[in-house]
Amino acid sequence: MGEAPRVPVRQLGPGGPQVPLFGLGSWNTWDRMDFDDAVALLRHAVDAGVSLFDVAHYNMGPHAEQARTDIIFGEAVRAAGIARDDYHLCGKLWLWEYPTAGFAEQMKTSLERIGVEKADSVVVGDYMSPPDIPSIVTDVEEQIQAGKFDTWGVNNWVASDLEAALAFAEKEGLTPPSFAQLKYSIARRTMAEGPYYAEHFTSGRLVLQASDVFEGGILAGRKFPERKIGADPGGIRDAIREAADRVAEVAQRYDATAAQVAIAFCLTNPAVANVLFGVSRLAQFEDNLGALRLATDHGAQLRAELDPLWTDREVNADGSW
């Protein structure tokens, strides 16, 4: 595919900062790497323009893992000599134990573990019980005013709750969410492209931060990952494994890898401001950069070929289970 161009930037929603089109996640990433390899990867990523890092303290709900990945990230970024102003830190606020575990407490713990004074943006995580939207938006605003971060987004929220948050923020003159971090991939398209969220993307009210683009590695060719992977809305994972074979065939025809095809598909959606992926080897990172040229040269054709692999058509477009 030739040498990949430097990663471009896009705005992370209305009033948001310019961020690189690619970002690196932290779940099951930094804590699975040799430390020196993590340092080298971070340095290489920033030099290539991939300077957004999604970093969380995994300690609540289904993520009650007490992982050290966030601590390791902070140590590695300092060892790499990367200045705080040279990267965008996207943190997480969890709703699993909210409001018992409040946002001020969560931010204090998270920032101390990473070893920084503030994040740049945060994603307010998903939930199982109906959320108290006014309290969430108000508490987010308090953290913004306290200088803990500047912008925020939602993670796989039910569309009606997103609507309520946008309306409450507008009514009260508070900061609204400017992006939505959603599961988005060749196989999972219904929520991001369905009528509820797509309306906001089309109007420019929100942008899309694509996550789980490999479905835990399945669409990149690792059909039975050994590590823990994300939730499976709609119970369609076996069908996605079948789709992975087709992705591999398409990749071969384009002299590309399955990972490049999976990322390039996301780049064909103009709503996408940022694609998150996790890598644990420098070679994986360099391979993923090749998706830029693949999308530029063959994006429309590629999207058309992959359309039959839309696997979650029957899953609720509003994000409800």
Side-chain angles (χ1 to χ4, degrees), residues 10-19 151 177-179 204-208 273:
R10 292 183 183 173
Q11 189 174 16
L12 193 62
Q18 296 290 317
V19 299
T151 59
S178 61
F179 65 99
R205 201 173 190 185
L206 295 174
V207 296
L208 173 59

Side-chain angles (χ1 to χ4, degrees), residues 242-256 258 261 305:
E242 294 179 9
D245 292 332
R246 175 67 172 155
V247 173
E249 293 172 6
V250 172
Q252 187 174 22
R253 285 206 308 276
Y254 284 93
D255 190 26
V261 169
E305 287 193 50

Side-chain angles (χ1 to χ4, degrees), residues 70-94:
D70 52 334
I71 295 174
I72 295 168
F73 168 81
E75 294 171 346
V77 82
R78 287 186 291 275
I82 301 170
R84 179 62 187 87
D85 290 342
D86 291 339
Y87 68 94
H88 181 106
L89 178 62
C90 183
K92 281 284 201 306
L93 288 171
W94 302 111

Side-chain angles (χ1 to χ4, degrees), residues 6-79:
R6 183 175 174 84
V7 176
V9 298
R10 292 183 183 173
Q11 189 174 16
L12 193 62
Q18 296 290 317
V19 299
L21 189 52
F22 292 163
L24 295 184
S26 63
W27 190 41
N28 288 318
T29 298
W30 309 114
D31 49 349
R32 293 193 299 127
M33 298 181 65
D34 176 85
F35 183 76
D36 289 341
D37 290 343
V39 171
L41 174 57
L42 283 166
R43 181 71 265 173
H44 186 79
V46 171
D47 289 344
V50 180
S51 56
L52 183 146
F53 302 105
D54 182 277
V55 183
H57 178 203
Y58 295 101
N59 69 321
M60 293 184 187
H63 294 309
E65 303 158 4
Q66 290 298 335
R68 296 188 70 255
T69 188
D70 52 334
I71 295 174
I72 295 168
F73 168 81
E75 294 171 346
V77 82
R78 287 186 291 275

Side-chain angles (χ1 to χ4, degrees), residues 91-316:
K92 281 284 201 306
L93 288 171
W94 302 111
L95 294 177
W96 306 112
E97 298 175 17
Y98 175 87
T100 302
F103 290 165
E105 173 192 347
Q106 290 189 45
M107 287 305 301
K108 181 177 185 294
T109 299
S110 182
L111 295 175
E112 286 180 350
R113 286 170 63 90
I114 299 170
V116 296
E117 295 184 358
K118 66 167 290 186
D120 298 293
S121 61
V122 300
V123 178
V124 180
D126 49 4
Y127 46 82
M128 297 301 290
S129 301
D132 183 342
I133 298 300
S135 292
I136 291 170
V137 177
T138 300
D139 289 351
V140 164
E141 183 68 27
E142 288 181 359
Q143 292 306 297
I144 291 174
Q145 295 304 319
K148 300 305 180 183
F149 52 86
D150 302 315
T151 59
W152 69 290
V154 300
N155 177 222
N156 298 319
W157 280 24
V158 174
S160 59
D161 294 326
L162 169 63
E163 295 282 358
L166 290 166
F168 182 79
E170 181 177 9
K171 176 185 175 183
E172 300 296 327
L174 306 178
T175 305
S178 61
F179 65 99
Q181 184 185 103
L182 303 177
K183 287 177 176 287
Y184 184 58
S185 70
I186 294 166
R188 293 193 190 271
R189 298 168 52 179
T190 297
M191 194 168 175
E193 297 185 15
Y196 301 96
Y197 271 89
E199 176 183 350
H200 297 299
F201 298 146
T202 302
S203 69
R205 201 173 190 185
L206 295 174
V207 296
L208 173 59
Q209 186 175 66
S211 69
D212 206 8
V213 301
F214 301 142
E215 189 76 15
I218 293 171
L219 293 172
R222 295 179 292 280
K223 294 177 67 172
F224 295 92
E226 295 180 358
R227 66 178 179 84
K228 180 180 178 180
I229 63 176
D232 179 18
I236 60 172
R237 191 148 285 156
D238 286 341
I240 292 176
R241 288 191 176 95
E242 294 179 9
D245 292 332
R246 175 67 172 155
V247 173
E249 293 172 6
V250 172
Q252 187 174 22
R253 285 206 308 276
Y254 284 93
D255 190 26
T257 64
Q260 289 171 346
V261 169
I263 296 170
F265 168 83
C266 295
L267 300 182
T268 64
N269 185 339
V272 171
N274 181 243
V275 177
L276 294 176
F277 52 75
V279 295
S280 57
R281 300 192 307 275
L282 183 57
Q284 289 177 320
F285 174 81
E286 293 176 335
D287 179 75
N288 288 355
L289 293 184
L292 287 168
R293 190 173 301 280
L294 180 63
T296 298
D297 294 346
H298 306 288
Q301 180 182 352
L302 192 66
R303 187 176 183 88
E305 287 193 50
L306 295 169
D307 189 66
L309 303 183
W310 185 343
T311 309
D312 72 337
R313 292 178 188 271
E314 303 303 319
V315 175
N316 295 339

